[in-house]
Amino acid sequence: MKSAAALTALVALLPAFASAQSQVWGQCGGIGWSGATTCVSGSTCTKLNDYYSQCIPSSQAPTSQPPASTSVPSTPSSTSAPSTPSTTPAAGNPFTGFQVYLSPFYAAEIQSAAAAITDSTQKAKALSVAKVPTFTWFDTVSKVADLGTYLADAQSIQQSTGQKQIVQIVVYDLPDRDCAAKASNGEFSIANNGQANYFNYIDQLVAQIKKFPDVRVVAVIEPDSLANLVTNLNVQKCANAQQTYLACVNYALKQLSAVGVYSYMDAGHAGWLGWSANLSPAAQLFATVFKNAGSSPFIRGLATNVANYNALNAASPDPITQGNSNYDEMHYINAFQPMLKSQGFPAQFIVDQGRSGQQNLRSQWGDWCNIKNAGFGTRPTTNTGSSFIDSIVWVKPGGESDGTSNSSSPRFDSTCSLSDAAQPAPEAGTWFQSYFETLVSKANPPL
Ligand SMILES: *[C@@H]1O[C@H](CO)[C@@H](O)[C@H](O)[C@H]1NC(C)=O
């Protein structure tokens, strides 16, 4: 795929057997946690909140436990009937007035990564990344239960601070996923009950979200999928997947809208759908998908540049963009939005800038895999400089690999061994320490 399967890195850091002790910075407790509850020598299991205890090096652990929160949030599923989620969307930008919930999973990845950095300045910069809100990818059914944990945690923060929380998720489990590349093949196949399995995956997400009607959820829907239907129907796997992708995305949008989730469908990036020949067919497809899903105002719009490297506002066009006047995301969105609107889809945008801090790095615009010398980019903000853009966001968790450079791996995609790709690279979604360290040192603005 063009982005990562996520969430696997922490698992990779943990020992393979459940009875083992958690590693330094690993999770060691919390409501819903079923893993190890003791820590390796030299670290102390420290309660951070009801939902998260962590193995903190004994030298850094607080001498007394933080006070338990005074009000224990009600147990979500069994004890109380969930209230009905809002079926009336708020007017305007869904990010406005909300604090973005920080994924404890990504924070744990960052803390492990920082622990491996010796230079104290770099270590401090690395640790600061844990404070930047990043989307959490639900790329397998087995991870869906974690969403309940995060929503409960967000609800608890909301209750104790009075600050409304928004939880950012990526819905990413289509059957025959990543139809034009290989690095992020998914768990479901169309030939083997994929559509029914996908509907069940969406039902499970919805079941978690329904339990926490007070917590706002924003979702990026299926990176690369609809963009592949615009430009890659010449690839057999994409042609075969067309009807299933449409049925699955339709189901996801309808079910998520019904529980008040604000959705942004993935719309590739300037160097993909932003070419003039692609804009109009893309507008037609997205508008049709929007209308077929009932034109819900919860289907807020489109997400661009997910896991990619384009600038929102390039200082000057990268030479690789030659021939495309939409040489950055702002130009792409400004060209695309009126077309969508005239087709009946008044789309708003979010734009991933997580790894866009450095420009002019690629040999070809289509290169997407672990691009060398990339740096973290503009921090998430609703101060976007465009009335079409709700928020700059970090969708791709920087530091997780885009795909392996190991040519013997079944998920090897040759893009990951091009000269502009950092190597050796581990499997998609797993932690890529040296890559993370470069993102930190090349961050722009600096961390
Ligand atoms: C590359 O992938 C093959 C097949 O999965 C595996 O056996 C081998 O250990 C991998 N090599 C490296 C260097 O990771």
Side-chain angles (χ1 to χ4, degrees):
M1 79 145 228
K2 327 263 171 174
S3 26
L7 291 185
T8 46
L10 181 59
V11 174
L13 294 170
L14 295 170
F17 35 102
S19 59
Q21 296 173 310
S22 286
Q23 302 291 325
V24 175
W25 302 116
Q27 187 171 359
C28 56
I31 295 172
W33 172 248
S34 57
T37 53
T38 56
C39 299
V40 292
S41 158
S43 63
T44 307
C45 187
T46 305
K47 178 177 172 174
L48 302 183
N49 59 50
D50 290 340
Y51 294 91
Y52 204 72
S53 298
Q54 188 173 37
C55 296
I56 293 180
S58 302
S59 57
Q60 297 174 34
T63 46
S64 64
Q65 298 276 304
S69 58
T70 46
S71 68
V72 177
S74 58
T75 314
S77 54
S78 47
T79 56
S80 62
S83 45
T84 315
S86 169
T87 48
T88 312
N93 185 346
F95 288 86
T96 301
F98 281 71
Q99 186 177 61
V100 186
Y101 173 72
L102 295 169
S103 156
F105 180 85
Y106 190 54
E109 285 187 324
I110 296 301
Q111 276 160 341
S112 311
I117 297 174
T118 44
D119 179 86
S120 61
T121 309
Q122 286 306 105
K123 188 196 285 277
K125 287 182 176 185
L127 278 172
S128 71
V129 177
K131 301 266 159 55
V132 182
T134 305
F135 278 66
T136 302
W137 293 60
F138 291 90
D139 61 343
T140 62
V141 169
S142 64
K143 289 170 186 162
V144 172
D146 294 340
L147 177 58
T149 308
Y150 302 153
L151 291 169
D153 191 16
Q155 178 177 269
S156 146
I157 293 169
Q158 188 163 284
Q159 285 170 347
S160 60
T161 64
Q163 173 62 60
K164 287 185 194 165
Q165 301 289 306
I166 188 166
V167 173
Q168 304 182 127
I169 68 171
V170 180
V171 174
Y172 188 60
D173 206 11
L174 281 177
D176 289 15
R177 190 174 71 194
D178 203 19
C179 66
K182 292 186 183 145
S184 292
N185 289 345
E187 61 183 344
F188 297 148
S189 80
I190 291 170
N192 188 14
N193 210 31
Q195 183 168 316
N197 289 337
Y198 186 80
F199 284 18
N200 173 262
Y201 157 80
I202 295 296
D203 291 347
Q204 291 194 36
L205 284 171
V206 164
Q208 296 293 346
I209 292 163
K210 253 173 143 161
K211 294 180 199 165
F212 304 95
D214 303 339
V215 178
R216 181 167 288 182
V217 176
V218 61
V220 167
I221 306 297
E222 297 295 347
D224 300 341
S225 61
L226 297 177
N228 273 324
L229 300 188
V230 177
T231 64
N232 287 323
L233 289 177
N234 59 324
V235 177
Q236 192 60 48
K237 189 178 172 191
C238 293
N240 287 344
Q242 184 176 24
Q243 292 314 316
T244 308
Y245 276 15
L246 291 171
C248 288
V249 168
N250 177 270
Y251 189 79
L253 291 170
K254 279 183 171 161
Q255 301 303 313
L256 293 169
S257 296
V259 292
V261 173
Y262 293 81
S263 291
Y264 296 85
M265 290 180 265
D266 183 89
H269 59 90
W272 189 351
L273 302 184
W275 291 90
S276 61
N278 296 338
L279 282 166
S280 172
Q284 225 159 27
L285 177 66
F286 284 107
T288 304
V289 170
F290 171 71
K291 288 182 266 189
N292 286 345
S295 303
S296 166
F298 282 111
I299 306 170
R300 177 77 181 165
L302 304 178
T304 78
N305 201 47
V306 169
N308 212 277
Y309 303 85
N310 297 338
L312 178 57
N313 298 291
S316 61
D318 184 330
I320 57 171
T321 69
Q322 200 181 0
N324 185 347
S325 56
N326 298 318
Y327 58 83
D328 61 20
E329 296 303 297
M330 189 66 86
H331 283 84
Y332 168 40
I333 289 166
N334 285 338
F336 198 24
Q337 204 278 349
M339 294 186 179
L340 291 154
K341 195 172 177 192
S342 74
Q343 300 268 349
F345 184 17
Q348 288 292 119
F349 288 80
I350 54 176
V351 183
D352 190 355
Q353 289 290 285
R355 303 190 300 182
S356 297
Q358 300 294 334
Q359 291 298 304
N360 300 13
L361 302 175
R362 289 169 283 184
S363 344
Q364 304 177 85
W365 207 356
D367 295 352
W368 49 266
C369 194
N370 302 317
I371 299 299
K372 276 183 194 164
N373 293 317
F376 283 117
T378 308
R379 311 307 175 255
T381 176
T382 53
N383 190 2
T384 64
S386 166
S387 60
F388 296 151
I389 304 176
D390 284 343
S391 188
I392 290 169
V393 290
W394 285 17
V395 182
K396 168 78 186 184
E400 293 179 1
S401 177
D402 295 316
T404 180
S405 58
N406 178 355
S407 58
S408 310
S409 164
R411 299 210 299 177
F412 172 68
D413 191 293
S414 58
T415 311
C416 299
S417 61
L418 293 173
S419 60
D420 57 5
Q423 295 163 57
E427 290 285 342
T430 62
W431 196 253
F432 191 174
Q433 179 71 15
S434 61
Y435 197 77
F436 170 74
E437 291 181 19
T438 306
L439 287 170
V440 170
S441 63
K442 303 265 185 196
N444 175 28
L447 289 162

